[in-house]
Amino acid sequence: MKYLDEYRDPASAKKLVEAIRRQVTRPWTLMEVCGGQTHGLLRNGIEAELQGTVELIHGPGCPVCVTAMESIDFAQQLAMLHTTSTNNVVLASFGDMMRVPGSHGSLLDTKANGGNVKTVYSPLDAVELAKRHPEKQVVFFAVGFETTAPATALAVKQAANDGIHNFSLLVSHVRVQPAMEALLQSPHNRVQAFLAAGHVCAVMGYESYEPMVERYRLPIVVTGFEPLDLLEGILNCVRQLEQGEARVDNAYSRGVSRQGNQAAQDIVREVYEVCDRPWRGFGIVTNGGLQLNQDWRHFDARSRFDFIRSLPVIEPAECESAHVLAGRIKPPECAAFGKACTPDAPMGAPMVSSEGACAAYYKWHTP
Amino acid sequence: MCLGIPGKVVQFTQQETPFAKAEIEFDGVRRVCHMACVPEAEVGDYVIVHAGIAISRIDADEAQRVFQELAKLDDDDGWKDEP
Amino acid sequence: MNQTSWELHCPVAVNNDSPRVMLAHGEGGRMMRKLIRETIVDILSSESLAEMDDAARLPAIDGPLAMTTDSFVVSPLFFPGGDIGSLCVYGTVNDLAVSGAKPLYLTLSLILEEGLPIAVLQEVLQSVARAANQTGIKIVAGDTKVVPRGAADGLFINTTGIGELVDPVPPGPQALCEGDELIVTGPVGRHGIAVLCAREELALQPAPTSDCGSLVAATMQLRHRLGTRLRTMRDATRGGVGAVLHEWSESSGLTLAVNEKDIPVSPDVRGASELLGLDPIHIANEGTMLIAVESGASEDALEALRSLPETQYSAKIGTAITRQATPVTITRMFGRPQPLDQPQGAPQPRIC
């Protein structure tokens, strides 16, 4: 496939690994922000290839993993509503969210218990579902970073345009930059450079990282997901670090511009506004989320189904995913890793999502 | 996050913004995707698709950059800062 | 939504007035006999079924037998490349064939959901008859039950297959030896992707097609050509090639090492897998198997397989080696073997 296969070329990858090795004089610590990057690094054996050269800390960039348990609990209550006569709810969700544990099991468990849950590939498919089933209330579980927000914003615009009133969003969108800042402000911070999330930047651009680089004096390199993209991003970080520089650079310029995607940003701004949001593992992140703005609040499932009361959240005590998500420990350092907690019986979200750091480690890390 | 896959714009099925749609080809399959965020994309262009919408048009020149970088590494036959 | 799913996906033109399966069809009276005689027996044109006795009487066989049973619950009932009818025949026949048996007899147990259009049942049975004909297996006994609406997803089928073991019978995965070569008989993941795309209405065009088909000819070719150099065969159904590799590693105590670049993947499965974030090695097949042959025999095996249209894209994907820390390894770009995980649950399309 064009624009995939050439970025997976083994000979070029080896050349980049060599270049990184030649550059490094000290063990630098980089964080790849996005779970998709973690996936690519481990699946392709890049982390192993660079062992002893650079240390990669896996960042919080898996929106499935950081989605607050309270949102999952709420989604589960919505999915059970169809058993009552007045609200025939179908909860539509990305496949990724299906296995993530809330306080009382996952959405798959909800389905097994009679809840009406349907996986969709796109939020716009959920709008189509609502169109085909006017007798049902379709609620789309809108999780994801800035990358996904344009798609969910477009979905409500489409619903409004087509006069579809039986569609709403359970919004749990998160914004990645405030979480990066929160990490840097932490007294435990070890991150010396960031590989910024390529597809978030495709939408948002990277101009907004410039003040961050000034303030914290560390390189931020916009990085893609294929092996050559990841290695180029790492090489760029390492060069800057070795030369004592701190810039925002773009190693994913085929898909990302400095300003980002204006059309996408416009759609997001039209529908959403920035809000504080609890992140799993982080607590409340200031400006860390998006919510529907005043003009679109009538599409908000939380107000449409305002009779649902949030229940107290129950976190499994042993699970140290909060520390994993914040980059404080690596997954194998958690006592439950691979023992009480496996992808078959996950305790924390990072063991569930195939993008989650724990699952990626469990699957692909060579001990 | 954010599985984004490059695909080729084959034909528009709906031109009018903001709900423009086009058929995008991903190797052996095509899917109709939303084009609202890539108004500049034309038939034959490659776009990155995430969750059913195109989020970016791929810049064909920039796509070569890493290979130019690699060629430079070859030319240098090593790295200039090498001790 | 389950109650209507077979209507949404059924390619048969069914209008709302067309006759449907009623609970009475399962109650043993005139309606049931009429359904069996006029729909089931007629379409399957089986002498043994036509007798409508309690059991099929079969001739003596001189030699050991293989017997298998399986239940088919696919949703949707019809998918590109097949349907529950062809699936239940090929699935059963393939289980016999890879065990080293010549398929002989099949039983068919139908569990029908009240309200299922008779036309859908007819279409499925025609497909059963075609597949049985093609593979030479005889349908000798059957059963029909009707369950209330909501208690089944349109139609479930349970089968039993009997085959005659023919020498030399491949010894099985526990006999795998170091150096044995691993071959996959076609592009992987086609069935799982086809069904997933149809079930989740993913609207991919052209819709990916299942590899649902017979492995009888391929297994016969292989046995004929390789004799005792053929170690073991397995149709790589649920969990795909990845699951079979893990099972074989467990039975043999060896590590199985495969190369990603050697694993054949068709362009539609490739495109769909990239888009949905899935790995074809963990996706189900229904007419593609994994085989292990003695060291040095893979060229002969590939030549035999490539002479048949259904296995023309066979490829050697790896070897059995001394047991390592991980049971199954896959080599990707850096030439460094990495652990290949077991698949977790059913594949879900993902966006992360």
Side-chain angles (χ1 to χ4, degrees), chain A residues 27-70:
Chain A
W28 299 107
T29 304
L30 319 183
M31 174 179 274
E32 83 279 1
V33 170
C34 176
Q37 294 167 329
T38 306
H39 196 84
L41 288 166
L42 286 159
R43 183 182 196 276
N44 294 295
I46 295 172
E47 212 226 10
E49 204 64 24
L50 290 175
Q51 213 148 40
T53 312
V54 290
E55 186 191 351
L56 292 155
I57 305 184
H58 313 308
C62 166
V64 169
C65 303
V66 301
T67 296
M69 279 179 109
E70 187 274 327

Side-chain angles (χ1 to χ4, degrees), chain C residues 47-249:
Chain C
E47 285 165 31
S48 181
L49 285 182
E51 289 170 11
M52 295 186 77
D53 280 343
D54 279 342
R57 299 184 181 89
L58 307 173
I61 296 168
D62 181 20
L65 299 176
M67 186 166 165
T68 182
T69 185
D70 209 340
S71 295
F72 298 84
V73 295
V74 66
S75 170
L77 296 177
F78 299 85
F79 47 85
D83 57 62
I84 192 169
S86 56
L87 185 68
C88 79
V89 176
Y90 292 133
T92 311
V93 160
N94 289 347
D95 282 350
L96 293 171
V98 298
S99 311
K102 178 179 172 237
L104 296 176
Y105 304 115
L106 184 74
T107 71
L108 204 63
S109 193
L110 304 170
I111 295 168
L112 311 176
E113 184 186 8
E114 177 188 21
L116 178 78
I118 301 281
V120 170
L121 177 62
Q122 286 169 332
E123 173 93 2
V124 168
L125 291 169
Q126 276 153 7
S127 175
V128 168
R130 270 194 305 271
N133 243 334
Q134 193 227 328
T135 52
I137 198 163
K138 286 197 175 66
I139 300 162
V140 293
D143 179 49
T144 307
K145 293 281 186 298
V146 181
V147 295
R149 197 167 181 120
D153 194 1
L155 164 61
F156 297 155
I157 302 179
N158 172 268
T159 61
T160 296
I162 293 180
E164 181 185 6
L165 287 166
V166 185
D167 271 337
V169 175
Q174 62 288 345
L176 274 172
C177 297
E178 275 180 52
D180 280 1
E181 295 169 300
L182 305 169
I183 291 171
V184 69
T185 63
V188 302
R190 293 179 56 204
H191 178 71
I193 289 288
V195 170
L196 181 71
C197 290
R199 186 178 56 230
E200 305 295 344
E201 301 162 69
L202 292 171
L204 301 184
Q205 291 298 331
T209 313
S210 170
D211 60 338
C212 185
S214 165
L215 287 167
V216 174
T219 53
M220 276 168 56
Q221 277 274 5
L222 279 170
R223 288 152 41 133
H224 176 72
R225 182 70 179 263
L226 297 187
T228 56
R229 291 182 298 157
L230 178 60
R231 202 76 76 191
T232 189
M233 306 182 273
R234 176 79 59 82
D235 50 339
T237 54
R238 272 172 306 177
V241 168
V244 177
L245 289 167
H246 275 275
E247 282 171 38
W248 283 6
S249 169

Side-chain angles (χ1 to χ4, degrees), chain A residues 117-229:
Chain A
V117 185
K118 167 127 181 96
T119 52
V120 292
Y121 164 69
S122 169
L124 287 130
D125 295 348
V127 178
E128 290 299 315
L129 189 69
K131 208 181 279 186
R132 284 203 308 275
H133 292 282
E135 79 286 4
K136 295 182 196 295
Q137 280 284 340
V138 175
V139 182
F140 182 73
F141 194 3
V143 300
F145 285 122
E146 291 94 328
T147 322
T148 317
T152 58
L154 196 63
V156 284
K157 279 177 59 118
Q158 179 92 60
N161 182 70
D162 298 354
I164 295 167
H165 303 296
N166 59 324
F167 177 78
S168 57
L169 293 181
L170 173 60
V171 181
S172 203
H173 281 305
V174 282
R175 297 174 67 239
V176 82
Q177 192 169 341
M180 288 163 74
E181 298 221 42
L183 282 170
L184 291 176
Q185 284 160 8
S186 154
H188 306 287
N189 174 51
R190 297 195 295 128
V191 176
Q192 292 170 302
F194 278 119
L195 305 178
H199 289 148
V200 168
C201 297
V203 172
M204 301 306 292
Y206 51 86
E207 202 179 1
S208 62
Y209 293 133
E210 285 161 8
M212 234 174 110
V213 160
E214 288 289 306
R215 183 157 170 211
Y216 297 98
R217 294 288 309 155
L218 90 172
I220 299 181
V221 178
V222 179
T223 304
F225 301 83
E226 297 307 320
L228 297 199
D229 295 325

